[in-house]
């Protein structure tokens, strides 16, 4: 299983944003939604083994976390407006009120009160990484992807000091995906590509060993 956690420092935690000006009214939820596409969708397909968490730290209802599970989600479209429409419907739900942990809102999509803590409690034994420019390169990590991974990605402003300290305490290992700082959704696509290559190499090796 591949898990991606996007931390939206000002991303809207309620449905109060405009589809006609997503970047200007949603605390850059658009960055996070493009990352959902990059993590879950291939050209004409849905990956079977991805969970994405959007940690929404902006607006009156924050903190709140949306969880997308590709094995159960239906009708996920790649265009940003369709994803924003979906996110607005999910955020209009009050299924998470009063409860603890994730509550189901739509097929494969859940919502929880809380931020990083609810995500960390949901990760199981996945190896934790935090994407950070200047950290050791993913290509120097021979074991990356051999087990389930949970990868933390910052938004357009990176991580706050608080979140970064929390991730350190949670055992997330810093990792870079190359020398150039890219957009969050591109960082997710690069990680997916790296994991795809490693998985393909493993399969090829297994075929030779058979
Ligand atoms: C647009 S970048 C953040 C830029 C922000 N202004 C900063 O200084 O951190 C969004 C996120 O993508 C990830 N990222 C982008 N380029 C990366 C790289 N070369 N190596 C590792 N992570 C990267 C990081 O998690 C980063 O927080």
């Amino acid at each position: 299983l591949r898990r991606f956690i996007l931390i939206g420092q000002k991303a809207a935690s309620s449905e109060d944003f405009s589809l006609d000006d997503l970047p200007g009214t949603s605390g850059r939820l658009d960055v996070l939604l493009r990352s959902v596409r990059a993590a879950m969708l291939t050209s004409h397909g849905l990956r079977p083994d991805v969970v994405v968490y959007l940690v929404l730290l902006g607006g009156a209802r924050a903190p709140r976390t949306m969880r997308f599970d590709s094995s159960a989600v239906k009708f996920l479209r790649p265009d940003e407006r369709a994803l924003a429409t979906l996110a607005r419907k999910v955020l209009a739900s009050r299924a998470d009120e009063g409860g603890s942990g994730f509550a189901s809102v739509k097929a494969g999509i859940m919502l929880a009160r809380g931020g990083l803590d609810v995500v960390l409690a949901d990760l199981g034994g996945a190896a934790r990484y935090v994407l950070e420019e200047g950290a050791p390169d993913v290509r120097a990590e021979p074991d990356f992807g051999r087990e389930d991974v949970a990868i933390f990605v910052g938004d357009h402003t990176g991580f706050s000091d608080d979140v970064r300290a929390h991730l350190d305490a949670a055992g997330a290992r810093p990792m870079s995906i190359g020398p150039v700082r890219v957009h969050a959704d591109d960082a997710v696509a690069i990680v997916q590509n790296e994991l795809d290559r490693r998985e393909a190499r493993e399969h090829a090796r297994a075929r030779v060993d058979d």
Side-chain angles (χ1 to χ4, degrees):
L1 199 63
R2 304 175 183 183
R3 299 177 192 261
F4 290 88
I5 306 97
L6 282 297
I7 315 276
Q9 297 194 50
K10 298 214 164 115
S13 54
S14 77
E15 68 280 23
D16 301 325
F17 57 84
S18 162
L19 294 176
D20 293 326
D21 181 14
L22 191 58
T25 61
S26 70
R28 298 308 308 271
L29 188 61
D30 58 311
V31 173
L32 274 55
L33 294 174
R34 285 196 294 276
S35 301
V36 171
R37 183 198 57 71
M40 301 189 86
L41 297 177
T42 58
S43 175
H44 299 295
L46 189 62
R47 292 177 179 274
D49 57 352
V50 180
V51 175
V52 178
Y53 303 85
L54 303 186
V55 178
L56 309 170
L57 301 179
R61 292 191 168 272
R64 235 175 162 195
T65 300
M66 259 194 282
R67 181 186 193 275
F68 296 75
D69 179 348
S70 72
S71 69
V73 82
K74 294 208 167 62
F75 314 120
L76 199 66
R77 285 176 36 192
D79 67 281
E80 200 171 295
R81 193 178 174 95
L83 288 171
T85 304
L86 177 64
R88 213 159 66 147
K89 284 185 192 148
V90 173
L91 290 173
S93 162
R94 300 293 175 254
D96 57 328
E97 262 174 22
S100 63
F102 286 97
S104 188
V105 178
K106 282 178 172 289
I109 308 180
M110 303 175 107
L111 194 58
R113 297 268 332 135
L116 210 43
D117 284 330
V118 285
V119 173
L120 290 169
D122 199 59
L123 293 182
R128 299 165 183 189
Y129 296 90
V130 50
L131 291 192
E132 193 168 79
E133 212 187 324
D137 196 297
V138 61
R139 299 221 165 158
E141 294 264 346
D143 293 334
F144 179 64
R146 279 196 204 278
E147 50 188 334
D148 286 356
V149 289
I151 295 144
F152 292 86
V153 188
D155 66 6
H156 61 297
T157 56
F159 296 102
S160 68
D161 292 345
D162 268 8
V163 165
R164 194 61 196 77
H166 202 149
L167 292 177
D168 268 346
R173 286 167 57 189
M175 187 172 74
S176 130
I177 37 100
V180 176
R181 183 187 299 157
V182 297
H183 290 294
D185 50 330
D186 293 335
V188 170
I190 289 168
V191 170
Q192 285 291 40
N193 178 261
E194 185 65 29
L195 290 167
D196 290 343
R197 286 165 179 270
R198 287 172 187 238
E199 208 171 276
R201 272 201 300 271
E202 279 303 312
H203 287 156
R205 233 177 257 142
R207 272 201 301 276
V208 170
D209 291 346
D210 274 351

